[in-house]
Amino acid sequence: MGKSGRLDFEWVYTDQPHTSRRKEILAKHPEIKSLMGADPHLKWIVSGMVFTQLLACYLVKDLSWKWVLFWAYAFGGCVNHSMTLAIHDISHNVAFGNKQARWNRWFAMFANLPIGMPYSASFKKYHIDHHRYLGGDGLDVDIATDWEGWFFCSPARKLVWLILQPLFYALRPLYVNPKPVTRLEVSNAVVQFTADFIIYYLWGLKPVVYLVAGSILGMGLHPISGHFIAEHYMFSKGHETYSYYGPLNYITFNVGYHMEHHDFPSIPGSKLPLVKKMAAEFYDDLPQHTSWMRVLWDFVFDDAIGPYARVKRTCKLVKED
């Protein structure tokens, strides 16, 4: 197998496109502002998913290990990956609104319970930077490191990289942009490990393994994980964000509407299709993906695509109030 043809990231010296496009769209379609705010249905959907996984924990407690792992990938992985995307939505305060930020943070911890590992508080901390400094060198931890781009350059190695995505997403921030541990992260860990212990105490080890394995497998080489690559990897030169409008949006809180999301991060995922409909002339002619499975295939076998296929820029830090 040959190696990827890219030897570096795609460095640009322009601002991210979402800020200017947001202004253009709002100037022409001010009615889009009416979509901003809380999604009243989100908390009920997420609660149903959490309790579904608790029921699954009870059902797998007496299964053989092979079936525990099978259901962790086939069912638990789908639910838990979807739950990470619910947490993504909640991180933008769309569960209870901007005026109830604390409620959003604690509800994100509740949504975190089926994932098996503390995630929501750390995700929130770094996801703000991903929007504010999209592609920012040393700031946007969604972008692979130079070592990842250099080493994972052949089809076999890129396949391994896809399998290990959860590991890289967890460890990369500690290397690229380390930040102090917050009280919210400590609370997230205490709540999560307490829930894990209660599940272990009630039903044994298998349900805990089911949850954790589902998260790891579901965020690795899994059809839903195509969105990790589809969102920002440069499949068309000069374009750094892409949308996908296919059926997997129904189980991923419309994360496929990713151009729309970066243009309007305060609009809940459930309403992003309306953004596309209202401002169709801004989105219809932009490059888009039709299949996340095809994205994964192309990532592995296309020499032009790999961890280096990302737009990168130097950004100035914004002073926090």
Side-chain angles (χ1 to χ4, degrees):
M1 293 288 189
K3 292 187 175 182
S4 172
R6 293 199 65 93
L7 300 176
D8 196 1
F9 299 103
E10 183 79 6
W11 287 90
V12 300
Y13 302 94
T14 57
D15 292 333
Q16 60 164 298
H18 301 287
T19 304
S20 58
R21 186 161 59 224
R22 181 186 307 122
K23 292 178 181 178
E24 291 176 23
I25 292 174
L26 287 178
K28 189 172 182 180
H29 299 284
E31 67 274 13
I32 283 179
K33 291 182 180 179
S34 66
L35 302 177
M36 300 175 182
D39 177 358
H41 304 295
L42 182 61
K43 56 183 174 293
W44 304 115
I45 294 171
V46 169
S47 297
M49 294 171 69
V50 170
F51 289 117
T52 295
Q53 280 293 69
L54 289 177
L55 175 61
C57 286
Y58 174 78
L59 295 175
V60 303
K61 67 184 178 68
D62 296 321
L63 295 180
S64 64
W65 281 108
K66 67 179 181 180
W67 285 110
V68 170
L69 295 177
F70 170 81
W71 287 114
Y73 182 84
F75 181 76
C78 295
V79 177
N80 282 6
H81 196 141
S82 181
M83 194 63 75
T84 67
L85 297 172
I87 291 171
H88 165 258
D89 232 17
I90 297 166
S91 74
H92 292 284
N93 293 333
V94 300
F96 295 94
N98 286 322
K99 293 182 179 179
Q100 300 291 340
R102 188 178 297 273
W103 280 85
N104 285 287
R105 301 292 83 76
W106 283 100
F107 187 65
M109 292 186 200
F110 173 71
N112 196 145
L113 296 181
I115 295 173
M117 299 167 287
Y119 166 82
S120 63
S122 297
F123 174 81
K124 165 71 175 180
K125 182 170 69 174
Y126 284 102
H127 190 61
I128 293 173
D129 288 346
H130 172 61
H131 277 270
R132 183 178 290 165
Y133 309 112
L134 181 65
D137 183 31
L139 296 170
D140 185 356
V141 299
D142 187 64
I143 295 180
T145 61
D146 277 302
W147 179 81
E148 290 171 72
W150 167 78
F151 184 79
F152 294 101
C153 56
S154 68
R157 291 182 184 184
K158 286 192 284 184
L159 182 63
V160 171
W161 187 83
L162 289 176
I163 295 170
L164 297 179
Q165 270 195 105
L167 179 65
F168 289 116
Y169 269 94
L171 297 181
R172 191 185 299 136
L174 304 178
Y175 172 77
V176 174
N177 188 17
K179 296 184 178 186
V181 175
T182 65
R183 270 198 237 173
L184 204 60
E185 287 175 290
V186 173
S187 298
N188 189 189
V190 170
V191 170
Q192 185 61 56
F193 292 134
T194 299
D196 291 345
F197 176 78
I198 292 172
I199 292 173
Y200 171 77
Y201 179 80
L202 291 175
W203 300 318
L205 182 62
K206 289 179 180 178
V208 178
V209 171
Y210 162 79
L211 293 178
V212 175
S215 299
I216 295 172
L217 295 173
M219 295 179 71
L221 190 62
H222 194 281
I224 297 177
S225 292
H227 81 86
F228 287 131
I229 308 300
E231 290 166 0
H232 296 293
Y233 281 77
M234 195 178 64
F235 283 76
S236 181
K237 188 173 179 62
H239 293 274
E240 57 188 300
T241 307
Y242 301 78
S243 284
Y244 155 82
Y245 302 118
L248 288 178
N249 279 300
Y250 289 114
I251 60 172
T252 57
F253 296 90
N254 284 330
V255 75
Y257 288 77
H258 217 66
M259 288 185 292
E260 294 82 351
H261 170 64
H262 271 265
D263 287 349
F264 300 99
S266 59
I267 294 180
S270 61
K271 297 180 181 179
L272 290 177
L274 291 175
V275 175
K276 168 72 162 54
K277 184 177 180 180
M278 290 178 178
E281 70 273 22
F282 287 90
Y283 297 110
D284 285 349
D285 294 330
L286 292 175
Q288 59 187 251
H289 294 293
T290 57
S291 167
W292 282 343
M293 287 289 288
R294 177 60 187 266
V295 164
L296 292 173
W297 178 272
D298 288 344
F299 179 83
V300 172
F301 293 107
D302 188 338
D303 287 344
I305 307 296
Y308 267 144
R310 291 290 297 263
V311 170
K312 217 173 183 187
R313 55 175 55 87
T314 300
C315 296
K316 292 183 180 180
L317 279 170
V318 175
K319 291 183 179 180
E320 300 287 353
D321 294 331

